[in-house]
Amino acid sequence: MNALFKALNDPTRREILELLKDKDMTAGDIADKFSISKPSISHHLDLLRQAGLVVSVKEGQFIYYSINTTVMDEMLKWIMQFKSSQKNK
Amino acid sequence: MNALFKALNDPTRREILELLKDKDMTAGDIADKFSISKPSISHHLDLLRQAGLVVSVKEGQFIYYSINTTVMDEMLKWIMQFKSSQKNK
DNA sequence: TATATATTTAGACAAATATCTAAATATATT
DNA sequence: AATATATTTAGATATTTGTCTAAATATATA
């Protein structure tokens, strides 16, 4: 949970997820979408991976990143607890 | 959105929300639940308020805090966008 | 095998964050 | 009016975070 909230607490990382929502992308292609250095994007990708929000697969000299939404379930559940307890008031 | 993710990116603040889920509480009563100084808790409450996650009402010398879950809707929607696009694969 | 391309790792640095103590403000009580 | 209680504000400090450049690693190509 901590890693998850931490990963999402950055606009660049959230944008990366929105890119990956549509299609898998290589680290380089992702970096090209931002005006931030490649090492910085690499670091963002690392944090997203630590949170389980993305998965990486090496193909030759490229590394493909894809989104993994299953880890979001725990977070959704956590948020929903508040919504459902609010109902009974 | 930024303020919202920022506010939730801290275990203490998330715990405060869980306390307020059950009942409204004064700043002091909230602080007593943690081994952190009152000024620090006051600061956490301020960040929660900035995000719209809590509302405060002054009653005499006390300040009551209550949770507001409506701002979570935007976040839920943001997360759900990923879940629903995942479905079509 | 030498060079080019893709990506990460290492190390530095400025900005943001969580925490503290001390002081300020506001209300209640004696 | 003086004192006690509840809370915040101010200012300081250590840690974390986002970013950078330079270097390292790994694969592809000439």
Side-chain angles (χ1 to χ4, degrees):
Chain A
M1 277 288 266
N2 237 312
L4 196 55
F5 277 111
K6 177 175 163 178
L8 294 179
N9 185 33
D10 181 275
T12 301
R13 290 194 289 270
R14 291 199 296 272
E15 248 186 274
I16 291 175
L17 289 180
E18 293 183 3
L19 287 173
L20 294 178
K21 182 187 59 172
D22 303 324
K23 57 184 178 311
D24 296 351
M25 291 174 75
T26 66
D29 285 347
I30 294 169
D32 287 345
K33 298 282 186 177
F34 299 89
S35 48
I36 297 178
S37 73
K38 281 178 211 294
S40 294
I41 294 291
S42 183
H43 181 234
H44 283 307
L45 288 169
D46 190 42
L47 290 177
L48 288 170
R49 185 147 32 75
Q50 278 176 43
L53 284 163
V54 303
V55 168
S56 65
V57 173
K58 188 162 195 170
E59 266 179 44
Q61 69 199 132
F62 299 93
I63 299 182
Y64 278 87
Y65 282 86
S66 24
I67 197 169
N68 170 34
T69 65
T70 54
V71 292
M72 292 177 173
D73 292 352
E74 199 190 351
M75 197 172 174
L76 277 175
K77 225 172 78 181
W78 187 82
I79 298 173
M80 287 307 293
Q81 99 185 266
F82 298 105
K83 303 298 290 185
S84 45
S85 96
Q86 189 95 325
K87 262 186 302 192
N88 323 322
K89 277 192 180 171
Chain B
M1 278 287 268
N2 236 311
L4 196 54
F5 277 111
K6 178 175 162 177
L8 294 178
N9 184 33
D10 182 277
T12 301
R13 289 195 289 271
R14 291 198 297 272
E15 247 187 275
I16 290 175
L17 289 179
E18 294 183 3
L19 287 172
L20 294 178
K21 183 186 60 172
D22 302 324
K23 58 184 177 312
D24 296 352
M25 291 174 75
T26 66
D29 285 347
I30 294 169
D32 288 345
K33 298 281 187 178
F34 299 89
S35 47
I36 296 177
S37 73
K38 280 177 212 293
S40 294
I41 294 293
S42 182
H43 179 235
H44 283 306
L45 288 170
D46 190 42
L47 290 177
L48 288 170
R49 184 147 31 76
Q50 279 176 43
L53 284 163
V54 303
V55 169
S56 65
V57 173
K58 189 161 194 171
E59 267 179 45
Q61 71 200 129
F62 298 93
I63 299 182
Y64 279 87
Y65 281 87
S66 23
I67 198 169
N68 170 33
T69 67
T70 54
V71 292
M72 292 177 175
D73 291 352
E74 200 190 351
M75 197 173 174
L76 276 175
K77 225 171 78 182
W78 187 83
I79 298 173
M80 286 307 293
Q81 100 185 264
F82 298 105
K83 303 298 289 184
S84 45
S85 96
Q86 190 94 326
K87 262 186 301 193
N88 323 322
K89 278 191 179 170

